[in-house]
Amino acid sequence: MAERKLGMTVDLKRCIGCQTCAVACRMQNNVPMGMLWNRVLTDGGEHLDRARGTYPYLTKSWLPLACQHCENAPCVKVCPVGATYKREEDGLVLIDYDKCIGCRYCMAACPYNVRVFNWKEPVRQPGHDYGDAKVPKRRKGIVEKCSFCVERVHQGAEPMCVLCCPAKARKFGDLNDPDSEVSTLIRRRRTKQLLEDKGTRPQVYYLL
Amino acid sequence: MRLTRRSFIKGSLVAGAAAGLAGTWRSGQKWFREARATGSQPEERIAYTYHPPNCGGRCSMKCTVRDGRLVKIEPNEWPDKRFSLICLRGLSEVERVYSPDRIQQPMKRVGERGEGKFEPVSWEQALDDIAAKLKELKERYGGKAILFKSSSGVEYAYDDSLSASSRFVALLGAQGQGWEGIDIGAADGHNLVTGELAFGATQNEITDWVNSNLIILFGSNILETTMTDAQFFFDAQEAGAKIVSVDPVYSTTAAKADQWIPLRPGTDAALLWGMINLVLENDWYQDDYLKKYSTAPFLVRQDNGKLLRESDLAPAGSPDKYLVWDTVNNAARPHDAAGVSPALEGSFTTDGIQVKTVFTLLKETARQYTPAWAAETTKIPEQVIRDLTREYALGGPAVLGFGYAGTDKWYHADTFGRLAAILGVLTGNIGRVGGGVGGISHHITAWNALLAPWPLPPQFQPAPREIPFAEMPFKPNSVRAFIIQGNILQQHLASLDHTIEWIKKLELVVVIDPFFNPSSLWADYLLPACTCFESEYEVNNLQINRSHVLLQGKVIAPLFQAKTDFQIQKELAERLGLSQYLPKTPEELQRVRLASGDPALEGITVEALKANNYVMRLKVPEEPYRGYRDHKFPTPTGKLELYHEVLLPEGMALPKYEEPYEASPQNPLYKKYPLVYIQTKHRFRAHSQFSNARWLLEINPEPVLEINPADAEARGLKDGDLVEVFNDRGQVRVRCQFTPEMRPGMVKISEGWWLRYFAAGSFQSLTNPTLNPRQLKEIHGPVVPFYDSLVEVRKV
């Protein structure tokens, strides 16, 4: 068992679909235009932010979605070159961009559709690199995804989406520590892990 | 939620349509180069600023600069950590600062106004020309020929009626226009009751919501307009408060509230009357509170409708001493006389004058507004109105909050504000822990302190305002030159075609902004302003927000040829021979402002701010701000006033219900234009700011007409069709989006989208510019009834 198992809780009651986490992630991780590591899906109608139902009988909520850092990660199993790996010491699922050969088996294997691929040379607006200088640059032909802001977490900070969430819907911490805020929330609240039947055992818990 | 792998893939298409929609980026300004930063520093460094664009949030930002470029923005660490916040708009600045839409150098119009043809000129040339023209106009017509107006996102506003820092209007003796026309309609009426100004403090700080049992939000989508207050919304819910959203639209806030009460648009005042009726008929009012703190026991003469004064009964009596019926002596006596025990209700005769108490008249007026009538008018089920009223009146403390659009942008918005305040007074919810009545968006109330104005010699005075700004396109006035900071022309006036007609008649139009915003199309001169990240100076603006003092430092040097608004003013003033009256640096100005002597500013200096991450908490109590705990109000009587003599000629000394001016089925125009047209605020923009932020356009790429599927199908429309929305004022072409959140009979285009995102026209081409004349008597003047507009939709 890993020493630490870092994970996240996302309180769906608090999530207001504001997309701040999506933009914070783009900025911190120098994510190119046309792709996002972290997206906010609408659980409602056909379009972004649209409700389900007929007026006035309507429902609408949001589902922020990024890499689930699964304990039993299908992407790790299918990577032919070991570029995607599960880190022992803290349970993060990471990509070694130097090893990635762009075969995209991982994208097919991931049931959450959270990996993105650089089909062309990354375009960044503004015309310079932004975000954390320690985040490795990616080139054309490389898969990328949420790293739980490993560069920040390494220094004891929380991921940028957690820091920036204005509704305080996100918490981050060690799932192996029973006293951590995330463990406490998971104990106290009704929770859901996405696609539990797939056996992926996500380290992201949604609070209902 | 039913989750399948397929739903993720489908969902991802909804959320991340991003790349495919990049084609909607229609940039007409071919002469602009892709933005590039200038200057270069090898090291990474941290700098601090705060975000001025008007969501009101004023988030303090910790910025990372690498090689001279802004690369990262994080929420700054505030002493009160709950306010270490940011939202998507603040973060999007990393891209927007370097936008291809930046005005890179001063420009001068070469084509007709509105053609958008400009040529670059030097700063020297531009400022020489502008100064010469201003001088000429001032000499010939006086300062009133020059009008200044600044968008709400401009921190160093030349129209300084808000912050009294730039003083440009006073210095030139010009006309400024403050907040007239926008966000002040409900406040006009609320002010009659409470004496408070717009954005005033009869509402408690939102951090006090945890102490409330019930929070009723009228027409407020706070979870989209003020995302940085979202935590307090949920903290209150978790603490047990029930939050109710009263809104015709199923907004984000309605979706997160405990109860959503949909109603017919523009009828919020009818709901309030129904509630007031129930409170009065069921004796759910606070008898003691009304007697002590309100004018409810004051006496009204039945012969002329005026309040009974001491001077009415004795020639030597004071005309300012209002009388009540003293139950001890059974006689009319001054309300503040010792030992008086006023009757709340009753009809009396004194010295041959028949009088009734204000409370009795209110009760008589309220009688017609039965819950059944309110239900019929608002289309809210009667039982819902009854339950809501009982909870509000008996289950307090309770908040009654409203936004600055939903109930405000209507012809009769003042009546809504009056009734909201009156309901709060009847139930004792003003000046109460966990209570409050008033505006609630952008953390409106918090602890505050007085900042000193920059002093000018007494000869420098603004010209009196001739007419409300919103009337200028329609009525003769003296204005010949218009200096605009921001995007006034698109945002501050309804019916864009009328605005353009007016603007074409002016002799000089100057637009100062970082971006080629829609107003700049009609400019004679375009001056490139800095964003809040750039400056010539180490210290820039200063604000008090959320009980803290925030300082703006320099993050990066000015990009391109941009100058700060401070610097542009300084260089213009030099040419007008006035610079000796202005501060030499922004730092000098901020030192003066901080030295006001207000005890809450003790120990807060420029040096101290620099040493404390550019943000310090005022010296104020820890607890949430709650206004008027002492129940002494800034009204003429010092009490909460329920009866308004000033509106006697209009027959509105007590408010009456009125249908929306245009957007009512009772209007004959409704047959031709049967859809109510609203333009609400949106999380992706603060008014028109961030319209061009490419990080946000990826998620929300273009304007849409939000229309209920039933209304759309009745017009033969399919989801995504290009449609024309039109009325007698104009038209706009835009794609429609089937939106079940929209009440049938209503359509919406969220406000602020720049002109270039529409296939034709603008969201503002359709809006109603008619002003309510009675509001000329009210504190902030008439509100522009943008929402009180009818339209029809057809397929293109």
Side-chain angles (χ1 to χ4, degrees), chain A residues 11-20 23-24 26-28 33-34 39-41 43 46-51 53 55-56 58-60 62-63 65 107-108 110-113 125-126 128-133 152 160 163-164 166-168 189 192 194-195, chain B residues 1 3 5 8-12 14-15 19 44 66 69-75 84-88 91 94-95 98 223 227 230-231 234-235 238 248 250 252 255-256 260 262 683-684 694-696 698-699 706 708 719 737-744:
Chain A
D11 187 340
L12 296 184
K13 274 192 182 159
R14 280 187 173 245
C15 176
I16 55 172
C18 72
Q19 309 277 354
T20 299
V23 178
R26 165 184 303 297
M27 175 191 68
Q28 163 69 15
M33 299 303 282
R39 293 163 296 155
V40 182
L41 310 187
D43 182 23
E46 286 297 305
H47 301 282
L48 183 71
D49 288 338
R50 288 291 78 95
Y55 190 99
L58 298 164
T59 61
K60 175 161 70 175
W62 290 270
L63 183 76
L65 183 69
M107 292 178 74
C110 172
Y112 305 104
N113 193 26
Q125 291 169 344
H128 59 256
D129 288 320
Y130 38 86
D132 196 319
R152 287 176 57 84
M160 197 56 117
L163 178 73
C164 293
K168 306 291 171 208
R189 294 276 300 268
K192 173 179 75 181
L194 299 181
L195 304 178
Chain B
M1 173 169 28
L3 279 172
R5 168 160 186 179
F8 284 122
I9 294 169
K10 192 169 148 231
S12 75
V14 170
E44 218 172 63
R66 194 159 60 232
R69 292 165 177 158
L70 174 66
V71 295
K72 193 165 68 169
I73 300 170
E74 292 168 80
S84 298
L85 295 161
I86 200 158
C87 80
L88 71 165
L91 295 167
V94 171
E95 182 279 323
Y98 299 96
L223 295 181
M227 289 164 282
Q231 64 179 313
F234 295 110
D235 289 350
E238 287 178 8
Y250 185 68
T252 295
K256 291 288 171 183
W260 171 44
R683 70 168 84 90
F684 295 104
R694 289 180 288 183
W695 287 8
L696 307 185
E698 273 212 331
I699 302 167
E706 298 180 26
N708 187 282
D719 193 19
Q737 186 171 89
F738 282 21
T739 307
E741 298 97 303
M742 291 307 295
R743 186 179 181 88

Side-chain angles (χ1 to χ4, degrees), chain B residues 315 324 549 657:
Chain B
V324 296
V549 180
Y657 177 72

Side-chain angles (χ1 to χ4, degrees), chain B residues 21 24 26 702-707 717-725 732-739 748-749 757-759 793 795-796:
Chain B
L21 283 159
T24 55
R26 295 195 294 270
E702 59 176 351
V704 290
L705 177 80
E706 298 180 26
I707 183 168
L717 303 177
K718 287 199 263 319
D719 193 19
D721 275 349
L722 185 66
V723 296
E724 184 168 82
V725 192
V732 58
R733 287 186 175 192
V734 64
R735 290 195 185 284
C736 73
Q737 186 171 89
F738 282 21
T739 307
K748 163 182 145 185
I749 300 173
Y757 298 103
F758 295 99
V793 177
K795 191 170 161 53
V796 174

Side-chain angles (χ1 to χ4, degrees), chain B residues 23-77:
Chain B
T24 55
W25 179 251
R26 295 195 294 270
S27 175
Q29 296 88 53
K30 286 184 181 144
W31 56 84
F32 294 120
R33 300 188 302 272
E34 178 77 16
R36 270 196 196 89
T38 54
S40 159
Q41 292 183 12
E43 295 288 301
E44 218 172 63
R45 61 185 169 80
I46 299 292
Y48 299 92
T49 185
Y50 64 83
H51 209 207
N54 179 45
C55 66
R58 301 292 194 275
C59 293
S60 179
M61 294 167 155
K62 180 180 167 188
C63 305
T64 304
V65 178
R66 194 159 60 232
D67 296 330
R69 292 165 177 158
L70 174 66
V71 295
K72 193 165 68 169
I73 300 170
E74 292 168 80
N76 195 5
E77 283 170 35

Side-chain angles (χ1 to χ4, degrees), chain B residues 137-440:
Chain B
L137 289 174
K138 189 173 171 180
E139 274 161 21
R140 206 185 295 169
Y141 306 105
K144 65 185 178 189
I146 303 165
L147 173 67
F148 281 83
K149 201 157 163 63
S150 314
S151 283
S152 46
V154 177
E155 194 68 353
Y156 191 76
Y158 297 160
D159 173 15
D160 65 347
S161 43
L162 289 174
S163 65
S165 57
S166 110
R167 312 307 312 274
F168 216 179
V169 167
L171 201 59
L172 286 176
Q175 289 198 60
Q177 280 283 349
W179 332 302
E180 293 211 352
I182 293 185
D183 295 351
I184 46 74
D188 268 338
H190 184 267
N191 164 269
L192 289 170
V193 180
T194 65
E196 256 297 351
L197 300 179
F199 320 117
T202 51
Q203 190 59 275
N204 292 358
E205 187 170 1
I206 195 170
T207 50
D208 189 41
W209 278 16
V210 288
N211 299 309
S212 304
N213 289 326
L214 177 70
I215 295 151
I216 309 178
L217 307 178
F218 278 81
S220 165
N221 189 9
I222 189 171
L223 295 181
E224 283 206 44
T225 57
T226 317
M227 289 164 282
T228 48
D229 271 348
Q231 64 179 313
F232 304 114
F233 180 102
F234 295 110
D235 289 350
Q237 269 184 333
E238 287 178 8
K242 175 179 173 179
I243 301 184
V244 179
S245 164
V246 178
D247 198 321
V249 180
Y250 185 68
S251 67
T252 295
T253 305
K256 291 288 171 183
D258 298 281
Q259 185 184 5
W260 171 44
I261 300 181
L263 78 174
R264 180 163 71 87
T267 64
D268 305 72
L271 171 58
L272 288 170
W273 260 129
M275 294 175 76
I276 290 170
N277 171 293
L278 281 164
V279 167
L280 293 171
E281 294 299 317
N282 291 297
D283 294 353
W284 288 341
Y285 50 86
Q286 300 289 318
D287 188 279
D288 263 10
Y289 183 99
L290 287 171
K291 285 179 188 163
K292 265 195 234 160
Y293 307 132
S294 84
T295 61
F298 285 27
L299 299 170
V300 180
R301 294 174 61 134
Q302 294 306 286
D303 53 354
N304 62 10
K306 297 207 164 192
L307 291 168
L308 187 71
R309 295 155 160 88
E310 198 181 41
S311 54
D312 289 335
L313 304 187
S318 161
D320 297 325
K321 272 217 185 302
Y322 298 94
L323 305 184
V324 296
W325 195 262
D326 181 16
T327 55
V328 179
N329 298 301
N330 213 22
R333 293 196 60 203
H335 70 94
D336 52 357
V340 161
S341 172
L344 189 59
E345 279 191 77
S347 303
F348 311 96
T349 305
T350 178
D351 297 45
I353 304 167
Q354 285 197 320
V355 292
K356 288 182 182 179
T357 67
V358 166
F359 185 82
T360 292
L361 285 177
L362 180 70
K363 217 167 167 177
E364 288 174 5
T365 307
R367 218 156 268 154
Q368 61 192 299
Y369 301 120
T370 61
W373 168 85
E376 178 52 34
T377 307
T378 60
K379 309 296 177 201
I380 301 168
E382 187 178 328
Q383 194 56 47
V384 172
I385 298 175
R386 289 180 178 277
D387 292 345
L388 180 71
T389 309
R390 184 182 296 106
E391 285 174 57
Y392 180 73
L394 304 180
V399 174
L400 200 167
F402 43 84
Y404 287 95
T407 55
D408 203 84
K409 298 187 188 320
W410 295 86
Y411 188 80
H412 301 303
D414 52 342
T415 299
F416 167 83
R418 280 174 88 186
L419 290 171
I422 289 171
L423 181 59
V425 175
L426 291 174
T427 53
N429 272 307
I430 296 179
R432 179 184 192 183
V433 173
V437 176
I440 44 111

Side-chain angles (χ1 to χ4, degrees), chain A residues 3 8 13 23 60 64 69 72 76 83 94 104 146-147 155 162-164 176 207:
Chain A
E3 291 168 40
M8 192 180 286
K13 274 192 182 159
V23 178
K60 175 161 70 175
H69 294 271
N72 184 25
V76 171
L94 298 173
R104 290 171 279 122
C146 160
S147 68
Q155 294 187 318
V162 178
L163 178 73
C164 293
N176 280 348
L207 308 178

